[in-house]
Amino acid sequence: MDNPDLREMHSWAPDPPLVGLAWVLAALGAGAVFLIGDAPGRLLLGVLAVAAGLAGLFGTVARPRLAADPQGVTVRGLTGRRHWAWTEVTVRLTHTRRLGREIATIELDADPDLVVLGRLDLGADPVEVIETLRALRA
């Protein structure tokens, strides 16, 4: 391994401004619940506020979402982290067509676990992340 950058830990996480936006939307939605007069509107805003709060919580707690070094990869979630050595995990880039767009995701397959990470999870383009992961694995 001639590249000194590949001897250290690399990590990816959701963009902080996006996580902050989720928290702001959760707070605004929760506050608007008390200002709206009709019950269906309150229910809808309440559900949206809870969803935004959960997204903000996940983006805050699960940092970094993916970390990798020459020994293996670690994925973090709400309930903790999972680490796999490179020999225990298969890493692949997949492309899926959704709503007329092609979406790139990274799949970490460590039997029986399958973790799928997209741009929002990583805060970076999955194509660039997979290049770093493949270089670290080599």
Side-chain angles (χ1 to χ4, degrees):
M1 211 179 292
D2 296 335
N3 189 346
D5 290 340
L6 295 179
R7 292 190 198 125
E8 60 190 43
M9 173 80 70
H10 293 266
S11 62
W12 298 270
D15 288 327
L18 193 59
V19 175
L21 177 64
W23 283 117
V24 168
L25 290 175
L28 289 174
V33 165
F34 298 106
L35 300 175
I36 300 292
D38 70 318
R42 272 199 311 249
L43 178 64
L44 182 59
L45 274 174
V47 169
L48 292 174
V50 168
L54 288 174
L57 178 67
F58 186 80
T60 302
V61 172
R63 296 187 77 79
R65 183 73 171 114
L66 175 66
D69 60 21
Q71 285 72 45
V73 293
T74 303
V75 176
R76 188 161 183 177
L78 282 177
T79 59
R81 53 182 124 188
R82 292 174 278 171
H83 177 80
W84 298 286
W86 287 115
T87 57
E88 300 172 324
V89 65
T90 303
V91 180
R92 64 183 160 262
L93 181 68
T94 60
H95 295 275
T96 308
R97 195 149 188 78
R98 291 190 183 140
L99 301 174
R101 290 185 57 202
E102 192 165 300
I103 305 295
T105 57
I106 294 175
E107 290 184 359
L108 302 173
D109 190 2
D111 195 31
D113 298 319
L114 175 66
V115 179
V116 180
L117 302 168
R119 185 174 191 78
L120 288 177
D121 291 305
L122 301 169
D125 185 10
V127 174
E128 294 173 7
V129 173
I130 198 81
E131 291 172 6
T132 304
L133 294 177
R134 287 179 177 156
L136 283 168
R137 185 176 193 149

